Amino acid sequence: MTAKRSVREVLTSPKIGSEVRIEAWVRTKRDSKAGLTFLELNDGSYFQNLQIVVSATLPNYATEIPKLHVGASVRVLGTEAQSQGGKQSVEIQALEVALVGACDPAVYPIGKQKMTYEYLRDFTHLRSRTNTFSAIARVRNVLAMAIHGFFQERGFLWLHTPVITGNDAEGAGQMFRVTTLDVAKPPRAEDGSVDFSQDFFGQGANLTVSGQLEAEAYACSMGAVYTFGPTFRAENSNTSRHLAEFWMVEPEVAFADLDDNARLAEDFLKHLLRTVLEKCPLEMEFFKQRVEPGILDLLNSVLENPFKRLTYTEAVEILIKSGEKFKYKVEWGIDLQSEHERYLTEQVFKAPVILTDYPKGIKAFYMKMNPDGKTVRAMDVLVPGIGEIIGGAQREDDIELLKGRIAEMGLHAGPLDWYLDLRRFGSVPHAGFGLGFERLVQFVTGMGNIRDVIPFPRTPGHIKI
RNA sequence: UGGUCAGUAGCUCAGUGGUAGAGCCCUCGGCUGUUAACCGAGUUGUCGUAGGUUCGACCCCUACCUGACCAGCCA
């Protein structure tokens, strides 16, 4: 049988005159009743479609070609040729065209017409057949591999942290309960509460909200590690930036402080942007034309300029002196609101901003205390358009200070005893951060809604597939 | 969870207190190495649901359903 080639292979390294087999789906069709049909096929391998020129002299032209509607799958045997048309350099002169699977246009939800993102969210299993969603899928894939590439080149170990966790105080919002108990009639303790000692794990269990604490354990033996996997939050958040299930990247490095952490975050983001611009030029051009006109300028400016670095205290001063009327008043000690973060990154600096040294009252128990006793070594990386894309910190490595913080915040020390062991035995300064993968994909593509950059989004009230 | 906005043909949208429109899709005809093809003709509707006001409601009012956006939480 004639060798199969992908649309990408034919368009990027044509072998003019050679015979090929193409297996793909019809994106659009133009008939010339004078004796030609032009099929545009796509197989997901490439942004561009491959044009097939079908002559009316083919034996099944009158019977099969009229059935080739948008969405139909086809197998084409043909010859690679220089195109006479202006919009592509290579095309296939068909020798045989076979309909593999028909697609009835009367009921097919995906057509050549304009469709809203909202409409396509009802067809998550079909939307990757559109230009936009197949481009997103390829960019997402390139970004995922760029993440592994960045860390692997630097000797980081990819750590598989558990999806089911016994930690109930990871401190990042509502968790999903994991149980095999009969939900209708769970066993009860004497005080009437559900008796999770009879549950599968002999205690309560949840889906993870972060792999950070486990990553710290391995960083304190393997040196530098990263997690990259799914994360779950049961918050009732209905925004364009929140999912109940999303992917998160969390590097953790031993013998590292906050400066090392900030440098790593900047190098990391720039590596990812550089890789996508290099590997997905057609997709990025499409996003510029159809999604966000300024996207290429934005990404290039992020790449070319050093990230602005300043402390929380300096940021608060800038915001107060700006004279800008904010909905929420700025004063030292408050958690910065989206409007404040956006003002800094979009109006003041017009570049990504790394804020460090936040008041201890608004940050987690594990962050390292500064000598001033008021601030901790936390950092947030803010980017234009999205806001916070990375949150991280140097961790508290002094066991007494850490115990004090746990008590101060009213947490139970017992379940965290293993975490204290990391400070009890060969403690080391270490730091890390978390990157929301979908927010990265949003930032890179310019897509406005996070539900459109993950294949099958989970949000409150929505888990159809 | 709160605030705002929206729901009209399979899709994208317009519309007026007095009996429902366009483009795309689809079918037919014409034309062309076409390319978001083009030109002409034709088919397509419980106007989100339930009440109410009115001689008369797609339009005004109320409730509900669904969705989006913004905010909070965060990544």
Side-chain angles (χ1 to χ4, degrees):
Chain A
M1 201 172 189
T2 310
K4 174 173 176 171
R5 298 189 82 201
S6 69
V7 169
R8 173 184 288 273
E9 288 169 326
V10 172
L11 289 176
T12 57
S13 52
K15 297 179 190 169
I16 303 302
S18 80
E19 212 171 287
V20 284
R21 183 171 101 250
I22 305 293
E23 290 165 331
W25 291 267
V26 176
R27 276 293 179 80
T28 182
K29 179 175 77 161
R30 292 176 292 274
D31 279 319
S32 161
K33 281 168 188 146
L36 283 178
T37 288
F38 298 92
L39 293 175
E40 280 197 35
L41 302 188
N42 193 284
D43 61 3
S45 64
Y46 201 51
F47 182 80
Q48 259 189 318
N49 300 324
L50 177 60
Q51 176 164 283
I52 312 293
V53 184
V54 185
S55 161
T57 58
L58 291 190
N60 63 348
Y61 188 83
T63 54
E64 291 288 281
I65 303 305
K67 297 179 190 167
L68 298 181
H69 298 288
V70 175
S73 53
V74 294
R75 179 178 299 116
V76 174
L77 298 182
T79 309
E80 295 185 28
Q82 297 284 356
S83 179
Q84 300 169 30
K87 297 250 174 139
Q88 62 282 314
S89 59
V90 187
E91 63 189 17
I92 304 293
Q93 296 286 345
L95 301 167
E96 276 179 53
V97 177
L99 174 64
V100 176
C103 186
D104 182 355
V107 290
Y108 186 47
I110 311 293
K112 292 198 290 186
Q113 73 274 21
K114 282 177 189 164
M115 293 166 289
T116 59
Y117 298 136
E118 187 184 332
Y119 168 75
L120 287 166
R121 266 172 230 150
D122 289 336
F123 303 99
T124 51
H125 56 302
L126 297 174
R127 65 180 179 171
S128 55
R129 300 175 179 211
T130 64
N131 281 335
T132 304
F133 286 91
S134 62
I136 292 166
R138 282 186 299 273
V139 165
R140 193 182 158 102
N141 176 65
V142 164
L143 280 170
M145 295 316 292
I147 285 165
H148 285 302
F150 177 85
F151 288 124
Q152 293 293 326
E153 278 169 24
R154 283 162 182 74
F156 283 60
L157 179 109
W158 181 21
L159 177 68
H160 299 134
T161 49
V163 167
I164 302 174
T165 177
N167 298 340
D168 59 359
E170 285 170 345
Q174 283 291 108
M175 302 177 86
F176 286 100
R177 170 73 64 182
V178 176
T179 183
T180 54
L181 295 177
D182 180 352
V183 194
K185 265 171 47 179
R188 299 279 179 182
E190 284 179 16
D191 65 358
S193 64
V194 175
D195 181 7
F196 284 106
S197 71
Q198 294 186 47
D199 204 350
F200 186 88
F201 295 105
Q203 66 164 82
N206 294 293
L207 294 180
T208 183
V209 293
S210 165
Q212 181 205 313
L213 301 190
E214 292 91 340
E216 284 187 53
Y218 265 64
C220 293
S221 64
M222 310 301 288
V225 304
Y226 68 105
T227 73
F228 184 14
T231 305
F232 308 86
R233 303 278 167 89
E235 294 289 347
N236 189 12
S237 299
N238 293 294
T239 82
S240 57
R241 305 183 308 283
H242 289 85
L243 292 165
E245 176 181 308
F246 63 99
W247 285 58
M248 188 152 65
V249 183
E250 294 173 292
E252 192 72 32
V253 184
F255 301 100
D257 62 15
L258 193 66
D259 280 342
D260 298 321
N261 207 27
R263 202 173 310 120
L264 181 71
E266 178 169 350
D267 289 348
F268 177 56
L269 276 181
K270 286 183 171 175
H271 171 82
L272 299 181
L273 299 190
R274 208 177 295 120
T275 305
V276 167
L277 289 170
E278 181 196 324
K279 293 199 171 179
C280 303
L282 297 181
E283 282 80 3
M284 292 311 303
E285 183 60 31
F286 173 79
F287 293 132
K288 178 189 169 185
Q289 283 175 11
R290 296 296 184 87
V291 177
E292 176 57 57
I295 190 67
L296 288 177
D297 293 338
L298 173 65
L299 298 189
N300 280 314
S301 86
V302 169
L303 261 181
E304 285 157 16
N305 296 300
F307 290 12
K308 302 295 173 186
R309 218 170 303 173
L310 62 161
T311 65
Y312 168 90
T313 303
E314 291 166 336
V316 167
E317 283 170 9
I318 289 174
L319 289 168
I320 290 174
K321 283 184 188 161
S322 74
E324 186 78 10
K325 293 233 171 182
F326 294 110
K327 196 174 165 195
Y328 291 87
K329 195 185 163 206
V330 181
E331 55 184 342
W332 198 93
I334 64 152
D335 207 352
L336 296 181
Q337 307 293 311
S338 296
E339 58 173 344
H340 306 137
E341 297 179 342
R342 227 181 294 127
Y343 183 78
L344 286 171
T345 186
E346 291 171 14
Q347 303 297 322
V348 180
F349 296 108
K350 297 181 172 33
V353 177
I354 304 182
L355 293 186
T356 62
D357 301 293
Y358 283 73
K360 66 174 182 178
I362 57 173
K363 288 293 181 182
F365 74 93
Y366 50 72
M367 295 187 180
K368 184 166 184 61
M369 187 69 69
N370 274 313
D372 63 12
K374 292 191 299 187
T375 59
V376 292
R377 305 236 74 194
M379 69 170 201
D380 281 356
V381 180
L382 314 176
V383 294
I386 302 289
E388 183 184 338
I389 197 168
I390 282 177
Q394 183 174 341
R395 320 306 185 186
E396 183 55 76
D397 55 310
D398 180 308
I399 189 165
E400 294 308 322
L401 289 177
L402 185 56
K403 280 180 178 171
R405 285 287 283 154
I406 289 172
E408 194 178 13
M409 297 182 83
L411 301 173
H412 294 294
L416 288 168
D417 198 50
W418 70 268
Y419 188 68
L420 294 176
D421 272 354
L422 304 176
R423 281 76 180 168
R424 213 168 260 137
F425 309 119
S427 187
V428 63
H430 60 288
F433 60 80
L435 167 87
F437 184 55
E438 282 74 20
R439 287 192 182 172
L440 171 73
V441 181
Q442 270 192 282
F443 178 58
V444 168
T445 59
M447 292 294 292
N449 196 310
I450 201 167
R451 294 159 207 165
D452 297 326
V453 299
I454 189 169
F456 299 97
R458 277 83 179 84
T459 54
H462 296 274
I463 188 165
K464 193 176 146 204
I465 290 175

